[in-house]
Amino acid sequence: MPAPSPAPAPAAPPPTLHPGGAAAPTVLVVDDERNIRRTLALVLQGEGYQVAEAPSAEAALELLAHGDSPVDLALFDLLLPGMNGLDLLQRVRQDDATRELPVIVISGHATVNDAVKAIKLGASDFFEKPLNRERVLVGVKNALQNSRLAREVEDLKAQVQSRYEMIGQSAAMQRLFKEIDRVAPTKASVLITGESGTGKELISRAIHRLSPRARGPFVRVNCAAIPRELIESELFGHERGAFTGASGPKRGFFEQAHGGTLFLDEIGDMDLAAQAKVLRALQSGEICRVGSEHSRHVDVRVLAATNKDLSREVAALRFREDLFFRLAVFPIKSPALRDRMDDLRALADAFMAAFCNENGLKQKAIDPVVYAALGRRSWPGNVRELKNVIERAAILSSDIVTIADLPEDPHENPFEDDAQGAAGEGSIVPPPLGAAEAPAGAARHEPGRPRLTLREFRDRAERAYIIEVLASLDWNISRAAVVLGVERTNLHKKIRGYGIKRGEAP
């Protein structure tokens, strides 16, 4: 594009806004020829871009560091006075603040060598002078779009990664973090054991993320979910025609994890035949697809997890001893939630924040009484169960999660001492005064002596008070539970146990 004759610089236009009120992207033009700068500015401004200009590399660096508005894309001329365009591009890539800035290089006397160097340094495109208007606009649009997509990918990665963050300051978690830090940089196989719901997959992902293989794939295999007849094909792949339905070749999980980490979850449920082939793959570093006669080399680090006691499985001849020792080079125990109750509040807050963010809900606070109630639960489902409880409470609650919003605890037994003190069919409601005869051999009632045991008196008083509170609150069980300081599920059980009917007088 021929450069127009010099013209007085127009007054700076007001910031252009994109639909929705967002400011238009700012393009920095760096060229020592004023006419070239003005030509590019007119072309770009005509398409709605904001433009900043710099006559030298030094001026461009100053503007990038201290400019009034951030730069979204830059056009660098190669032949600049002082520092040239390639040196400027290198400086931009070395600065954390501008490392990801998309840059297009322009030149009228560049060689193929210069273009190759520019692309290697991270240039998005290369324009030759004289500039073509349509070529410039398409290149700028593509560079900005690619930059936006790259940012979105990084944001999505960060969101996904946040879902696998491990939370905890308890002593049990601090020991776990130290073990992960020690084993992650090595090539050792790791066997992760622990109850269901304790976060064994999170441990495996943390090991992968902190290992030299972090840029490689992380492939998770649920050994318990794959039918026995398909496990070999899924792990090692198959060739076309290997069996009915094999219409084409398929890579197995070992090949998919090449250069990265293969996580064998629920390894204790893998059958013995598949165990033998996994052991051979670990020992030789080679696998053979089903239906193939040729082996393939795979570079895979294997992490395994199970909620079973593999030493007992070995003793029962349900798990290969040689595979057990191969996997358990570095064993890690995932702590149960009951062993890290100091982390319960932080976990609950994190689950609440994540659920609200993912579902577009306003962030909700948790009543301090709720933390105490959660702390009294047994949590056989561990962290996974806590996550489910918090998410359900988030759905049921308004602005603040209260006791009334907690789901029933299926493991709760508020009357554990009934078996020792209950009579007859175990009803906790004592019989009316004088309604029951003393059993044979029991001391007869004497005048002036109380007819009720301490337990019976306590139950009668509790029943009467529950009815009184319910009646005062128009029989609203949720509000009554708050007043009584008990969980709603606990109150439901007491109402059933005492045989309380709506409208009954105390």
Side-chain angles (χ1 to χ4, degrees):
M1 176 188 302
S5 56
T16 306
L17 297 181
H18 276 183
T26 297
V27 180
L28 171 62
V29 178
V30 185
D31 198 304
D32 58 331
E33 295 185 42
R34 183 176 181 276
N35 285 347
I36 295 295
R37 295 200 306 272
R38 298 310 298 146
T39 298
L40 286 170
L42 290 172
V43 169
L44 295 170
Q45 287 169 350
E47 293 298 315
Y49 297 106
Q50 299 185 71
V51 178
E53 301 178 28
S56 65
E58 291 76 11
L61 291 173
E62 177 67 20
L63 194 148
L64 288 171
H66 306 291
D68 293 335
S69 60
V71 173
D72 300 292
L73 179 141
L75 297 172
F76 293 169
D77 187 21
L78 279 186
L79 299 179
L80 294 170
M83 185 189 304
N84 64 35
L86 288 178
D87 292 337
L88 173 59
L89 178 56
Q90 193 166 10
R91 285 280 298 274
V92 166
R93 290 291 173 256
Q94 291 171 349
D95 189 335
D96 290 339
T98 57
R99 190 187 306 277
E100 304 301 327
L101 177 69
V103 175
I104 296 174
V105 174
I106 56 179
S107 179
H109 308 283
T111 64
V112 173
N113 236 4
D114 294 328
V116 171
K117 286 181 181 178
I119 298 301
K120 283 185 176 180
L121 286 172
S124 303
D125 208 338
F126 189 95
F127 297 159
E128 287 187 288
K129 297 178 182 178
L131 300 173
N132 177 277
R133 180 181 183 278
E134 295 304 321
R135 175 83 172 88
V136 168
L137 292 177
V138 170
V140 167
K141 179 181 178 181
N142 289 342
L144 287 169
Q145 185 175 36
N146 290 339
S147 176
R148 178 179 57 80
L149 292 174
R151 287 195 303 272
E152 289 179 357
V153 168
E154 290 302 315
D155 290 343
L156 287 173
K157 283 183 178 179
Q159 290 178 21
V160 170
Q161 192 59 53
S162 67
R163 300 179 63 182
Y164 298 110
E165 287 182 358
M166 301 179 69
I167 299 170
Q169 294 297 324
S170 62
M173 291 302 291
Q174 293 307 308
R175 286 194 297 271
L176 176 61
F177 293 151
K178 288 179 181 178
E179 291 177 341
I180 292 173
D181 288 340
R182 287 172 182 165
V183 75
T186 72
K187 298 179 180 180
S189 299
V190 179
L191 178 62
I192 307 166
T193 59
E195 300 174 12
S196 294
T198 56
K200 295 186 288 293
E201 182 179 347
L202 297 187
I203 295 174
S204 68
R205 288 182 179 275
I207 293 172
H208 172 73
R209 187 171 64 250
L210 296 174
S211 75
R213 298 172 176 265
R215 292 186 175 275
F218 178 89
V219 178
R220 176 185 177 274
V221 182
N222 187 343
C223 301
I226 303 175
R228 180 179 302 179
E229 60 273 13
L230 295 179
I231 186 70
E232 185 179 354
S233 169
E234 293 296 318
L235 288 175
F236 308 114
H238 61 254
E239 297 292 351
R240 180 181 179 184
F243 50 83
T244 303
S247 56
K250 176 185 176 181
R251 293 192 309 152
F253 291 126
F254 269 87
E255 285 186 74
Q256 293 174 32
H258 180 71
T261 302
L262 179 65
F263 175 49
L264 299 176
D265 197 9
E266 305 299 345
I267 187 73
D269 292 303
M270 183 181 288
D271 73 282
L272 290 169
Q275 290 176 31
K277 294 180 180 180
V278 168
L279 176 63
R280 185 167 63 247
L282 294 178
Q283 290 173 334
S284 65
E286 294 184 343
I287 57 99
C288 187
R289 290 182 178 178
V290 177
S292 174
E293 298 179 354
H294 305 288
S295 60
R296 300 166 183 265
H297 173 73
V298 287
D299 175 22
V300 172
R301 182 185 188 179
V302 171
L303 309 177
T306 181
N307 59 6
K308 294 184 176 181
D309 185 341
L310 286 192
S311 58
R312 291 186 179 180
E313 295 296 300
V314 169
L317 303 180
R318 290 190 293 266
F319 200 85
R320 293 182 62 103
E321 185 178 38
D322 44 6
L323 178 58
F324 171 69
F325 288 122
R326 185 79 187 187
L327 293 172
V329 174
F330 193 94
I332 289 181
K333 178 69 178 294
S334 180
L337 181 56
R338 62 179 173 275
D339 297 327
R340 47 178 297 212
M341 293 300 285
D342 292 346
D343 298 325
L344 187 142
R345 181 166 186 157
L347 287 166
D349 289 343
F351 292 147
M352 178 62 70
F355 183 80
C356 291
N357 285 335
E358 291 173 6
N359 292 277
L361 301 176
K362 179 183 176 182
Q363 287 297 326
K364 300 184 178 184
I366 300 178
D367 190 311
V369 179
V370 171
Y371 297 119
L374 294 175
R376 292 192 294 269
R377 295 195 177 196
S378 57
W379 301 113
N382 293 291
V383 178
R384 183 183 297 129
E385 183 183 358
L386 173 62
K387 182 174 184 287
N388 292 343
V389 167
I390 293 298
E391 290 183 351
R392 180 174 174 182
I395 295 172
L396 294 174
S397 63
S398 51
D399 292 336
I400 299 178
V401 176
T402 66
I403 287 285
D405 301 314
L406 290 180
E408 291 191 12
D409 182 0
H411 321 292
E412 184 184 27
N413 182 13
F415 308 119
E416 292 176 346
D417 57 343
D418 287 350
Q420 298 178 5
E425 297 183 356
S427 172
I428 63 174
V429 183
L433 221 56
E437 295 292 334
R444 292 183 177 275
H445 173 70
E446 299 176 4
R449 183 176 178 181
R451 295 176 180 272
L452 298 178
T453 65
L454 182 62
R455 175 186 175 81
E456 291 169 341
F457 180 81
R458 183 198 67 188
D459 289 343
R460 283 198 167 190
E462 185 174 67
R463 183 179 192 275
Y465 185 57
I466 290 174
I467 294 174
E468 180 182 342
V469 171
L470 284 168
S472 69
L473 297 172
D474 196 26
W475 295 83
N476 185 310
I477 294 176
S478 296
R479 292 169 61 193
V482 174
V483 171
L484 293 169
V486 298
E487 292 190 39
R488 183 180 54 183
T489 55
N490 195 345
L491 181 55
H492 272 292
K493 289 179 179 179
K494 287 183 179 291
I495 291 172
R496 289 195 298 270
Y498 285 131
I500 297 174
K501 304 297 183 182
R502 183 181 180 88
E504 183 177 351

